[in-house]
Amino acid sequence: MDFSKNRGLVFGAIKHIEAVSKNDLLLDLLSEEALKTSEIEEENSNIESVQSAIKRNVGFTIDNKKIAPAELHISEMIVDLYKSISKHLHAHN
């Protein structure tokens, strides 16, 4: 297949992903990036805490779960990066 056909298939598939699946995919991608960044900083972050913090920062959930400062910080940084990139991309469309 050529590039334009592949691109069309990918965009078509993305349009059909349920909102819940999009949220799960976003959570997985942001969590993975947060964990990789934590490893670079030589910190050992807990995946559940990172995901909980990310959910809180993107507005998926509101809870009172205690989150360690390092995990809260990395999640805020990753979500801020995601939002700024997303905002920039939408401004140019």
Side-chain angles (χ1 to χ4, degrees):
M1 278 190 190
D2 66 345
F3 176 75
S4 61
K5 285 183 183 179
N6 283 336
R7 186 184 67 176
L9 288 173
V10 169
F11 284 128
I14 289 172
K15 284 186 176 185
H16 295 289
I17 295 175
E18 299 284 331
V20 171
S21 296
K22 286 180 185 178
N23 291 347
D24 290 342
L25 178 60
L26 178 60
L27 178 62
D28 287 344
L29 291 171
L30 294 178
S31 298
E32 195 63 34
E33 190 62 33
L35 291 173
K36 286 179 184 176
T37 302
S38 292
E39 287 177 15
I40 291 169
E41 297 294 322
E42 297 181 359
E43 295 177 1
N44 293 323
S45 294
N46 177 286
I47 183 69
E48 290 84 15
S49 293
V50 169
Q51 286 182 336
S52 183
I54 289 172
K55 286 179 188 179
R56 188 183 300 172
N57 284 317
V58 294
F60 292 166
T61 188
I62 298 172
D63 61 23
N64 295 323
K65 186 182 274 187
K66 181 138 173 76
I67 300 169
E71 291 157 343
L72 187 58
H73 176 72
I74 192 67
S75 70
E76 289 170 344
M77 185 181 74
I78 294 296
V79 169
D80 184 54
L81 178 63
Y82 165 74
K83 286 180 179 179
S84 66
I85 289 171
S86 181
K87 187 179 193 180
H88 181 72
L89 289 175
H90 290 316
H92 291 290
N93 284 334

